[in-house]
Amino acid sequence: MIVLEGLTAVRRALRNACLVLLACGSFVLLGHFLRQLNIVLNPLAWSSAEIISALLSLTIAANVLVRYYGTGNRASLLLGLTFGVTGVIHLGATFEFYHHFLDRAEQFRVPVSWMVGQTLLGLLLLIAYAINKKMPWPRDARKNIVAALAIVVSASCLIALPFLIFPNESPIRPRSPVPRPWELLPAALFLGAAVVLNRRKERDRFAFDAVLIWVAGLNAAGHLIASQSARLLDASAAGAELIDTVSYMVLLGATLLDNAQLFRQVRTLAISDSLTGLANYRRLVDILQGEIERSGRTNRSFSVLLMDLDGLKLINDRHGHLAGSHALCRVAAILRLNCRSIDTAARYGGDEFVLVLPETGESAAQQVVERVRNCLEAEEEVPRLSLSIGIATFPQRGTTVQQLLECADRALYEVKGKSKTDKMQKRGRS
């Protein structure tokens, strides 16, 4: 069995390797085809694309910083700052490009900043998650940002050093089968990053993490196409620049999607009870105030049910606090089951709940009370649960949030008092 699984894994790895090699060969052939076209990209168009890429990179960095403060994911912080530094390098490349393009002879040499920025991005995509696991990080969020920025800047300097020691511009050899052989280095880094990122299996993977695989793959394809570029701004170079810009757009969309989801989660946590998932006190007050204003316009009443879980302390003492917490969740489930889409169930306090019933008079509210009690009585789970419920109807029992809740509270304690009296009478008869 183990041998069969090993053979299956080897076959899968060989198949994936063949697919990767086939894809790489296809992009090289595409670059060779574009190279044959007699097309030269307008310098202004290239500059615009480079500036757009820089702005996209800086925007990605800003969005990832927001995500870091929300999730504490330091690997994405490291990659986000890498995109920020890459964006700055892209802007520098634009100025360096004009310096080189003034002399038409320089169309067969490539500015240093092009290579530094892409090599940096490919390298950190490849090793960012390994750095995150093995490097000790400070607990303070700001210190983490400083540490990640120091890593990115240090890596930038180390990558730039060889390009500064050797000739400042990488030469293009138009007659060679591979006019830009040095493009194969970032292509290999991005390809390795795509493989490594694809192997990472996380239960809670964000859109940013999933899209990074495609971004790495697109950048690898762009550099393979650019390796066939015989001039500074020919069709192959234009194709590579287009792929580079598209990859940044896709990644920016992923970061925006992640942040929108994060904001939605934060908003949900701000208005819901962490244990039961019902609305919390803050949300309850907003709902009640809104219902008062709406009912005041429509002259229609609404009712508030204030409920108290009987004997929660006894449940905690006999069965433990976990059973007590589960009892609260059982009550929350019953309230959801008996809620209309326009109703709101909320946790009012420790063992108290509120149910807001729009467009519901006192008699209809009493029917809801009976239905909730019947559902609890029908449950067979131990410990058995019961609720004391008080009713307050707008505007008969109050015209403000405070008045309604106070009236419901008085009605609740009347029910509790009556329940205690009934129990004492039963004991006396027995």
Side-chain angles (χ1 to χ4, degrees):
M1 189 69 179
I2 297 176
V3 174
L4 289 176
E5 290 179 356
L7 288 174
T8 303
V10 170
R11 288 175 183 173
R12 189 183 299 112
L14 288 174
R15 183 187 62 188
N16 292 339
C18 291
L19 291 174
V20 169
L21 290 174
L22 180 62
C24 291
S26 301
F27 286 119
V28 171
L29 290 175
L30 176 60
H32 183 74
F33 170 75
L34 294 174
R35 173 183 170 186
Q36 308 304 316
L37 301 178
N38 189 21
I39 297 176
V40 178
L41 186 66
N42 189 305
L44 184 60
W46 181 90
S47 300
S48 300
E50 195 71 10
I51 291 173
I52 290 172
S53 296
L55 294 177
L56 288 172
S57 297
L58 294 172
T59 308
I60 290 169
N63 279 278
V64 171
L65 189 62
V66 172
R67 178 193 164 188
Y68 166 70
Y69 274 110
T71 63
N73 191 310
R74 291 173 295 200
S76 62
L77 170 67
L78 184 61
L79 291 174
L81 292 177
T82 301
F83 277 98
V85 172
T86 304
V88 174
I89 294 174
H90 270 298
L91 290 176
T94 306
F95 296 105
E96 189 179 3
F97 163 75
Y98 278 113
H99 172 72
H100 285 72
F101 206 81
L102 290 176
D103 187 355
R104 297 187 67 84
E106 295 295 334
Q107 292 186 40
F108 298 101
R109 290 184 179 275
V110 175
V112 177
S113 52
W114 287 20
M115 289 298 296
V116 173
Q118 291 300 97
T119 305
L120 169 68
L121 183 58
L123 179 63
L124 286 180
L125 276 175
L126 181 62
I127 64 175
Y129 288 94
I131 292 176
N132 179 51
K133 287 183 179 180
K134 296 184 179 181
M135 176 183 170
W137 291 88
R139 294 184 179 180
D140 185 74
R142 294 182 181 179
K143 291 181 179 178
N144 273 325
I145 295 173
V146 173
L149 187 59
I151 292 172
V152 175
V153 172
S154 300
S156 304
C157 294
L158 289 174
I159 291 171
L161 190 61
F163 292 100
L164 295 175
I165 293 175
F166 295 104
N168 287 346
E169 295 85 20
S170 302
I172 300 175
R173 299 180 177 86
R175 301 184 182 279
S176 173
V178 184
R180 300 191 191 184
W182 29 266
E183 293 279 3
L184 299 177
L185 172 61
L189 291 173
F190 280 115
L191 187 60
V195 172
V196 170
L197 292 170
N198 189 49
R199 288 181 178 176
R200 290 180 62 251
K201 295 181 180 179
E202 292 185 356
R203 186 174 297 176
D204 299 323
R205 177 176 284 191
F206 287 86
F208 177 84
D209 303 309
V211 168
L212 272 179
I213 302 169
W214 295 98
V215 170
L218 285 172
N219 276 272
H223 283 284
L224 289 172
I225 293 173
S227 68
Q228 291 294 311
S229 174
R231 296 183 65 185
L232 191 61
L233 298 180
D234 63 1
S236 298
E241 183 65 30
L242 177 63
I243 290 176
D244 182 58
T245 304
V246 168
S247 69
Y248 288 162
M249 289 180 178
V250 172
L251 189 60
L252 177 59
T255 59
L256 293 174
L257 184 63
D258 282 342
N259 285 347
Q261 183 179 357
L262 180 62
F263 291 145
R264 184 168 60 251
Q265 291 174 352
V266 170
R267 184 179 182 277
T268 301
L269 291 173
I271 63 174
S272 63
D273 176 62
S274 58
L275 176 63
T276 62
L278 301 180
N280 59 14
Y281 179 78
R282 177 181 178 183
R283 177 64 174 163
L284 171 64
V285 172
D286 291 341
I287 291 291
L288 285 173
Q289 189 61 48
E291 282 300 319
I292 289 172
E293 293 174 1
R294 190 179 64 82
S295 297
R297 293 192 301 269
T298 61
N299 292 322
R300 293 183 179 180
S301 60
F302 73 93
S303 295
V304 178
L305 307 185
L306 181 59
M307 312 176 192
D308 183 83
L309 177 59
D310 299 326
L312 179 61
K313 184 178 184 304
L314 187 60
I315 294 174
N316 287 332
D317 293 340
R318 288 185 178 179
H319 303 278
H321 288 277
L322 287 178
S325 298
H326 182 59
L328 293 172
C329 293
R330 287 167 58 190
V331 172
I334 292 293
L335 294 182
R336 288 194 195 93
L337 184 64
N338 290 277
C339 271
R340 301 170 297 176
S341 60
I342 61 173
D343 299 339
T344 301
R347 187 179 178 191
Y348 184 63
D351 58 353
E352 292 182 324
F353 298 85
V354 170
L355 190 58
V356 182
L357 305 172
E359 301 186 7
T360 303
E362 190 166 350
S363 59
Q366 189 62 48
Q367 294 177 8
V368 176
V369 170
E370 295 301 324
R371 191 162 63 242
V372 170
R373 284 176 175 163
N374 291 336
C375 286
L376 280 175
E377 290 175 1
E379 280 194 333
E380 297 181 356
E381 188 174 349
V382 177
R384 304 299 293 271
L385 304 179
S386 64
L387 289 172
S388 298
I389 305 175
I391 304 174
T393 302
F394 174 91
Q396 293 89 344
R397 304 297 181 182
T399 56
T400 66
V401 172
Q402 185 176 358
Q403 289 174 356
L404 286 170
L405 291 176
E406 287 177 351
C407 181
D409 191 55
R410 287 194 298 270
L412 170 65
Y413 278 95
E414 288 176 5
V415 172
K416 277 184 170 291
K418 184 179 179 181
S419 177
K420 288 180 180 179
T421 302
D422 293 342
K423 288 180 181 179
M424 291 176 66
Q425 288 176 353
K426 287 181 181 178
R427 288 176 184 175
R429 290 172 185 173
S430 62

